[in-house]
Amino acid sequence: MIGKGTSIAHTGTSIDYGWNQEKGAEVVFSQHLAGENPKEITEEFRLVQEENTRCQKNTLSFVLSPTREDGRNLTKAQLREMTQRFIKEMQLKERQAIAFVHRDKAHTHVHLYVNRIGFDGKTYNDSFIGKRSQLAAESVAKEMGLTTVKEVQLEKELDSIKVRLEIKDIHHKVMESDRPRTLDSYIKVMQERNVEVIPTINRANKLQGFRFQYEGHNFKASEVHRSMSGGRIMAQLSRNKGIAKPKEIGKSVQLLGKTVELGTNLATGIAKNIIKKTIKKAIDTGIGI
């Protein structure tokens, strides 16, 4: 579950949004309030806020977002409990508050509005309210057995690693078995294996690198693996064509029927990789350079 929080000045507009029936809004929590519509609730907030007119951002706005799977399974009673626990964690039990659940999207979430001005006229300290909201939501998620932000981040990272390894494996198999000699043929063979290779063209219309798209993920070539930088990929294609010297590399490449000039960094990267491979081969075979 993710928690976000901030201080706002537009109380009426926000509560009106929270109660929006078009979004399937439903009140899941209310404390120290008697109003039955946005106008009445806003007026009750205003009466207390008049005790401290110096504070301009006099309402606290929070969004509590369980994961999609958790959100689908949470009942109204559980959403109420979740909100109550969050309010307790943020030490807001003695302030006017109202919360609405929105189920208009696949992602169920709760909008919580709390009067920043207490019945004693004192202002709630909103320092680091965003970070404190995150920590409070994390604590509530653990208490209720919901998925925490850290768990979501870990799951995403593990999935990202898995996909990057799969792309790297497909790339190496293509280079070893198909040995493409041109960029177009490399892109085509990778596409046949469900990996989309997206050339990155800069404003000067020069090729500067690649991105890989696979199973809903999109990575820069170097993010997949350092062995898959644009310079190394192009150098390998050049070697497949029998090019073994940097001076034999052209300044442009054929890409989807068009001639595209190589970016300076990419051209330098290709040259460096060809030189490294040439030196390594010479050392391995014992040939002097």
Side-chain angles (χ1 to χ4, degrees):
M1 181 171 77
I2 298 172
K4 297 179 181 180
T6 188
S7 296
I8 59 174
H10 41 281
T11 307
T13 303
S14 296
I15 292 178
D16 217 25
Y17 171 80
W19 214 320
N20 190 338
Q21 296 301 308
E22 292 181 4
K23 296 183 176 293
E26 185 179 11
V27 177
V28 292
F29 177 82
S30 177
Q31 68 180 20
H32 308 305
L33 293 168
E36 297 181 350
N37 57 58
K39 185 176 180 181
E40 292 175 357
I41 297 297
T42 302
E43 180 62 18
E44 289 185 54
F45 266 54
R46 188 187 65 78
L47 290 173
V48 175
Q49 288 166 348
E50 284 183 348
E51 296 298 314
N52 188 335
T53 56
R54 295 188 304 277
C55 180
Q56 297 300 308
K57 293 184 177 181
N58 49 21
T59 295
L60 299 168
S61 173
F62 301 98
V63 178
L64 306 179
S65 300
T67 62
R68 292 191 177 191
E69 186 175 349
D70 285 344
R72 281 195 296 268
N73 298 323
L74 286 170
T75 65
K76 182 178 178 180
Q78 289 171 318
L79 290 168
R80 176 183 174 82
E81 179 188 352
M82 181 183 79
T83 306
Q84 282 180 311
R85 287 176 180 268
F86 179 81
I87 281 179
K88 180 181 178 182
E89 197 73 28
M90 294 293 291
Q91 300 181 359
L92 294 165
K93 290 181 68 176
E94 301 305 319
R95 294 172 186 273
Q96 293 169 310
I98 188 165
F100 313 89
V101 59
H102 283 185
R103 299 184 187 271
D104 60 310
K105 298 179 181 179
H107 203 157
T108 296
H109 56 284
V110 171
H111 288 273
L112 168 64
Y113 302 102
V114 183
N115 200 335
R116 192 178 167 200
I117 309 302
F119 294 111
D120 57 1
K122 292 182 180 180
T123 305
Y124 180 83
N125 185 352
D126 65 351
S127 299
F128 308 106
I129 190 72
K131 184 63 177 178
R132 284 159 54 202
S133 300
Q134 292 175 19
L135 294 174
E138 188 89 3
S139 177
V140 171
K142 288 179 180 178
E143 290 173 4
M144 296 184 65
L146 302 175
T147 308
T148 65
V149 174
K150 289 180 180 178
E151 289 170 333
V152 171
Q153 290 173 337
L154 177 60
E155 186 177 334
K156 286 183 178 179
E157 179 61 25
L158 291 173
D159 186 45
S160 173
I161 292 172
K162 171 179 171 290
V163 171
R164 279 182 283 154
L165 286 173
E166 288 179 6
I167 294 173
K168 177 174 174 283
D169 184 54
I170 292 170
H171 163 78
H172 284 306
K173 285 180 179 177
V174 164
M175 287 300 192
E176 289 172 6
S177 61
D178 293 86
R179 297 185 60 81
R181 296 157 57 98
T182 67
L183 182 54
D184 279 347
S185 60
Y186 171 70
I187 291 174
K188 181 181 178 182
V189 177
M190 290 291 282
Q191 182 70 57
E192 290 171 356
R193 288 159 176 75
N194 300 315
V195 179
E196 184 179 359
V197 181
I198 306 169
T200 304
I201 310 294
N202 63 22
R203 292 182 179 179
N205 199 36
K206 293 182 180 181
L207 179 65
Q208 60 181 24
F210 308 97
R211 297 191 70 88
F212 290 85
Q213 190 162 297
Y214 181 65
E215 291 191 351
H217 292 260
N218 190 305
F219 302 104
K220 285 173 58 178
S222 57
E223 290 174 344
V224 176
H225 193 266
R226 61 183 182 180
S227 67
M228 290 178 62
S229 66
R232 293 188 179 190
I233 290 173
M234 293 299 294
Q236 192 162 356
L237 294 176
S238 297
R239 288 195 300 275
N240 288 348
K241 286 194 293 186
I243 295 175
K245 298 179 180 179
K247 65 181 182 181
E248 297 175 350
I249 302 169
K251 295 183 178 180
S252 61
V253 64
Q254 287 297 308
L255 177 61
L256 303 177
K258 296 182 179 179
T259 301
V260 180
E261 192 174 339
L262 297 175
T264 303
N265 291 339
L266 181 58
T268 302
I270 298 170
K272 284 182 178 178
N273 276 282
I274 287 180
I275 291 172
K276 285 180 181 178
K277 287 293 182 180
T278 302
I279 293 174
K280 185 178 184 302
K281 183 178 180 181
I283 293 173
D284 290 344
T285 56
I287 299 174
I289 300 175

